[in-house]
């Protein structure tokens, strides 16, 4: 579909009045994609920061043409409604990305905006099929846009962000955002988080920083960030690594020059991928080997992640059981229950005085991110030695 004016229609009169726009300034086009959902183009101006050759303008930012940003909606609390304005639990996903965009401030001086509803579900329902669909859409869109924004449920946002960071190599900003309160709640955080994510993705200073997250005025690294509180707005943190920047008074401010995580491995994966089965076992006092036996015998597991106590602590009887049970090439990642800190190689168990060869130190990664990295290693056909090399730097 071309971008000729006849393909666009003005936004609704109510939307224009609410945001003080003139119908001649904003136009919207709805077009069908190859998938079963709609995509929309919200046009403010007709230029872009990326030229036809794909190069980036070197002119001062205030003199550059506006970037073109694509929002991909996937659902989550940010797209949810509750029964009352004070309810912050028991809500359901009920808003489209089009409705979300209508709630944010004027962006006519910031970017050209396009958006597409890829999914519209709670993030707890996301699985390999949905994550693959989202990744493929991002890959398809990156050649055509200056930045990508993804609205996502907060419960598993950190997992999707880590996966996207580990499977897409780009200098363009990919920014995840969500909310802790549904759209119907008093002081809902969704519209502001989405607005900030769009501005962050539009900023040339966001290039070369990897996948980012934008919530509660803070900019985090999708590689390290984790949800630390089940209820609070200020929930996404990476205690040891810190935030990479913040958003204050409509300004994007970074603390450091552009850089990506030092331990990052980017995997070249096909459009369709079969995820290896890798369960996570959560350690606790009195942990019984029967749990391990149940997991290993009833799941066609290709690897295992253990959320250990402390920095790699796991009952000695359980370590011995694993050593006596699994094959010589079966990878076992020792991660940690605690949000901060790391599991070093020196903390890995010894079996009868000899280092447990199947054990892999999870480094700074939490169990859910360690699981994704192990899955990617297995799908790449890495042997145990190569997997240890990948985890050695995380």
């Amino acid at each position: 579909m071309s971008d000729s004016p006849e393909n666009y229609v003005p936004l609704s009169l109510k939307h224009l009045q609410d945001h003080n726009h003139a119908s001649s300034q904003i136009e919207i086009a709805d077009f069908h994609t190859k998938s079963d959902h709609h995509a929309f183009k919200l046009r403010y101006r007709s230029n872009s920061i990326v030229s036809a050759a794909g190069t980036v303008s070197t002119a001062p930012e205030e003199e550059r043409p506006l970037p073109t940003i694509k929002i991909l909606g996937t659902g989550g609390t940010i797209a949810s409604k509750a029964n009352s304005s004070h309810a912050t639990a028991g809500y359901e996903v009920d808003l489209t990305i089009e409705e979300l965009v209508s709630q944010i401030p004027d962006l006519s001086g910031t970017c050209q905006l396009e958006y597409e509803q890829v999914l519209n579900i709670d993030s707890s329902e996301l699985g390999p099929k949905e994550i693959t669909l989202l990744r493929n859409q991002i890959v398809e869109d990156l050649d055509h846009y200056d930045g990508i924004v993804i609205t996502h449920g907060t419960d598993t946002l950190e997992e999707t962000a880590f996966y996207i960071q580990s499977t897409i190599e780009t200098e363009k900003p990919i920014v995840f955002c969500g909310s802790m309160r549904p759209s119907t709640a008093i002081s809902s955080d969704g519209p502001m988080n989405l607005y900030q994510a769009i501005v962050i993705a539009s900023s040339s200073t966001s290039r070369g920083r990897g996948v980012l997250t934008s919530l509660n005025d803070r900019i985090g690294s999708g590689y390290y960030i984790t949800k630390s509180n089940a209820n609070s707005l200020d929930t996404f943190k990476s205690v040891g690594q810190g935030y990479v920047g913040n958003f204050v008074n409509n300004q994007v401010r970074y603390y450091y020059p552009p850089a990506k995580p030092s331990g990052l491995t980017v995997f070249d994966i096909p459009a369709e991928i079969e995820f290896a089965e890798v369960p996570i076992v959560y350690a606790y006092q009195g942990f019984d080997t029967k749990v391990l036996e149940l997991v290993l015998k009833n799941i066609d597991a290709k690897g295992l992640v253990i959320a250990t106590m402390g920095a790699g602590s796991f009952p000695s009887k359980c370590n011995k059981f694993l050593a006596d049970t699994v094959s010589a090439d079966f990878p076992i990642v020792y991660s940690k229950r605690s949000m901060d800190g790391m599991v070093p190689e020196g903390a890995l168990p010894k079996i009868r005085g000899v280092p447990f060869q199947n054990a892999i130190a999870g480094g700074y990664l939490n169990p859910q991110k360690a699981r994704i990295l192990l899955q990617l290693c297995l799908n790449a056909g890495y042997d145990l030695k190569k997997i240890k090399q990948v985890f050695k730097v995380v």
Side-chain angles (χ1 to χ4, degrees):
M1 173 178 172
S2 70
D3 288 350
S4 58
E6 60 267 23
N7 290 323
Y8 290 82
V9 296
L11 291 175
S12 68
L13 180 59
K14 181 180 186 301
H15 179 83
L16 298 175
Q17 290 173 339
D18 289 345
H19 295 85
N20 295 318
H21 290 142
S23 60
S24 61
Q25 293 175 310
I26 306 176
E27 297 168 310
I28 189 169
D30 175 9
F31 58 96
H32 290 279
T33 67
K34 62 181 181 297
S35 303
D36 60 354
H37 51 259
H38 294 265
F40 298 88
K41 290 186 177 183
L42 186 66
R43 187 172 68 180
Y44 294 105
R45 298 179 185 175
S46 58
N47 45 15
S48 172
I49 196 171
V50 175
S51 70
T55 57
V56 180
S57 172
T58 57
E61 186 150 8
E62 62 273 12
E63 298 177 11
R64 297 177 190 175
L66 294 179
T68 303
I69 304 300
K70 177 80 173 281
I71 306 175
L72 301 178
T74 69
T77 300
I78 192 171
S80 296
K81 292 180 181 179
N83 293 326
S84 67
S85 60
H86 55 75
T88 56
Y91 42 78
E92 295 183 355
V93 176
D94 196 36
L95 283 181
T96 65
I97 188 62
E98 182 181 11
E99 292 172 302
L100 287 175
V101 170
S102 70
Q103 298 175 6
I104 59 178
D106 174 21
L107 288 162
S108 59
T110 302
C111 67
Q112 291 185 93
L113 197 61
E114 300 185 17
Y115 50 93
E116 185 169 342
Q117 193 79 56
V118 181
L119 300 160
N120 207 22
I121 59 177
D122 189 285
S123 68
S124 64
E125 302 293 336
L126 291 172
K129 177 183 176 181
E130 292 76 20
I131 296 304
T132 299
L133 175 65
L134 176 61
R135 180 195 175 273
N136 290 345
Q137 188 66 57
I138 295 171
V139 171
E140 180 182 325
D141 288 337
L142 275 172
D143 288 339
H144 308 290
Y145 300 92
D146 303 300
I148 304 291
V149 171
I150 298 131
T151 61
H152 196 289
T154 59
D155 287 350
T156 65
L157 185 151
E158 64 193 84
E159 294 174 64
T160 305
F162 182 87
Y163 178 72
I164 296 302
Q165 177 70 89
S166 300
T167 60
I168 296 179
E169 182 68 72
T170 182
E171 294 300 297
K172 295 181 180 181
I174 300 174
V175 187
F176 279 78
C177 70
S179 73
M180 291 298 292
R181 293 173 179 167
S183 64
T184 48
I186 301 170
S187 300
S188 174
D189 52 325
M192 190 57 160
N193 287 343
L194 176 56
Y195 173 77
Q196 292 181 356
I198 295 169
V199 176
I200 291 167
S202 302
S203 173
S204 62
T205 62
S206 298
R207 292 179 61 88
R209 297 181 183 274
V211 173
L212 301 171
T213 61
S214 172
L215 295 104
N216 204 43
D217 302 335
R218 304 181 190 276
I219 307 171
S221 164
Y223 191 83
Y224 288 117
I225 206 79
T226 188
K227 186 173 181 177
S228 65
N229 189 296
N231 314 105
S232 173
L233 298 187
D234 193 21
T235 179
F236 279 87
K237 303 180 187 300
S238 48
V239 178
Q241 296 76 25
Y243 296 105
V244 299
N246 68 347
F247 192 100
V248 177
N249 196 33
N250 212 38
Q251 290 185 322
V252 179
R253 307 187 71 92
Y254 288 105
Y255 306 136
Y256 317 104
K260 295 180 182 178
S262 59
L264 174 64
T265 298
V266 179
F267 295 82
D268 184 13
I269 65 172
E272 298 297 328
I273 181 172
E274 290 291 332
F275 287 82
E277 186 63 53
V278 177
I280 299 174
V281 171
Y282 194 91
Y284 51 85
Q285 288 182 339
F287 191 93
D288 198 305
T289 57
K290 292 180 180 179
V291 177
L292 296 172
E293 184 178 4
L294 181 68
V295 169
L296 295 174
K297 284 189 175 182
N298 291 276
I299 299 177
D300 185 25
K302 305 303 181 183
L304 181 68
V305 174
I306 305 173
T308 67
M309 298 170 278
S313 297
F314 199 48
S316 57
K317 65 177 182 179
C318 295
N319 291 323
K320 184 177 182 301
F321 174 84
L322 289 171
D324 293 339
T325 303
V326 302
S327 61
D329 60 348
F330 188 87
I332 303 174
V333 178
Y334 283 65
S335 184
K336 70 277 191 307
R337 301 188 312 185
S338 56
M339 191 181 81
D340 196 19
M342 71 172 296
V343 177
E345 290 183 343
L348 295 177
K350 293 183 178 181
I351 308 298
R352 304 177 187 92
V354 179
F356 182 21
Q357 291 303 307
N358 299 75
I360 302 168
Y364 289 106
L365 297 183
N366 62 27
Q368 53 269 38
K369 295 189 179 188
R371 171 181 173 270
I372 294 170
L373 183 57
L374 181 54
Q375 285 181 310
L376 290 170
C377 287
L378 290 167
N379 282 302
Y382 292 176
D383 59 16
L384 188 59
K385 181 179 179 181
K386 179 66 173 177
I387 295 173
K388 288 183 177 181
Q389 291 174 350
V390 171
F391 274 87
K392 189 179 180 68
V393 294
V394 297

